[in-house]
Amino acid sequence: MADFLEPGSKAPAFTLKDQDGNSVKLKDLAGSPVVLYFYPRDDTPGCTKEACAFRDRYDEMKATGAQLFGVSPDDEASHIKFREKYDLPFPLLADVGHKISEKYGAWREKNMYGKKSMGIQRSTYILDDDGKVVKVWKRVKVDGHDEKVLEALTALTQ
């Protein structure tokens, strides 16, 4: 289990499929800031609330020049349903084997009601246009998180 990445570190390279089967490579995103938010599962209450908050702020985030991606261990078919159901305008990346989530430190031991299991710890990274980590939220509380991400993007791009 890797630690969360810290600001100043180089973001691990990745290639993941989006909901439509298109390959998304970190190296191809160079030149603009990237927001990667890791979430546990499609169409669950907290994850839906978070995705819809990002949806509602998407135009503002896009205006900063940033690209936004949701990342979860769900497969492409699940992502298609989730995007369509909630009209999400940004890509969802399928990290089915959770290899990328592990590299970013988002795949962690969780303890719910005394039961330990492995899964995604809700977390968000902002990468600068060179792929360097500039901001990390390690244990995201959904309420107000979209605003914090937008504030950080605005500060980064002004």
Side-chain angles (χ1 to χ4, degrees):
M1 179 171 58
D3 287 334
F4 284 105
L5 300 176
E6 294 298 330
S9 60
K10 187 78 174 158
F14 66 80
T15 300
L16 290 172
K17 298 280 188 190
D18 71 8
Q19 68 286 335
D20 298 320
N22 300 312
S23 288
V24 175
K25 297 179 183 180
L26 180 59
K27 69 178 184 173
D28 294 343
L29 304 175
S32 64
V34 173
V35 176
L36 293 175
Y37 82 92
F38 292 86
Y39 66 98
R41 196 157 175 215
D42 289 340
D43 211 7
T44 56
C47 297
T48 299
K49 188 174 183 180
E50 183 178 31
C52 289
F54 280 131
R55 175 199 64 203
D56 295 346
R57 293 280 189 164
Y58 183 67
D59 288 341
E60 293 169 86
M61 290 184 186
K62 201 170 162 189
T64 70
Q67 298 182 68
L68 172 67
F69 298 91
V71 183
S72 87
D74 294 304
D75 64 18
E76 297 160 35
S78 177
H79 284 341
I80 287 172
K81 290 178 195 168
F82 189 44
R83 274 188 90 220
E84 288 176 356
K85 184 174 181 178
Y86 294 101
D87 197 26
L88 304 177
F90 49 86
L92 300 177
L93 304 180
D95 187 20
V96 175
H98 52 78
K99 285 184 174 26
I100 303 309
S101 301
E102 287 182 41
K103 287 183 181 180
Y104 280 76
W107 186 260
R108 311 196 70 73
E109 184 176 80
K110 298 164 87 172
N111 189 342
M112 184 164 308
Y113 308 115
K115 182 183 176 204
K116 292 183 180 181
S117 64
M118 296 298 290
I120 296 286
Q121 173 69 56
R122 193 180 309 279
S123 48
T124 302
Y125 288 90
I126 295 180
L127 313 177
D128 69 11
D129 52 8
D130 292 322
K132 193 165 65 175
V133 176
V134 293
K135 185 76 178 163
V136 181
W137 289 269
K138 297 179 182 177
R139 287 173 180 78
V140 168
K141 302 290 184 225
V142 173
D143 290 334
H145 181 58
D146 56 313
E147 181 65 34
K148 292 175 188 168
V149 172
L150 183 57
E151 286 171 8
L153 280 173
T154 302
L156 176 65
T157 58
Q158 284 185 342

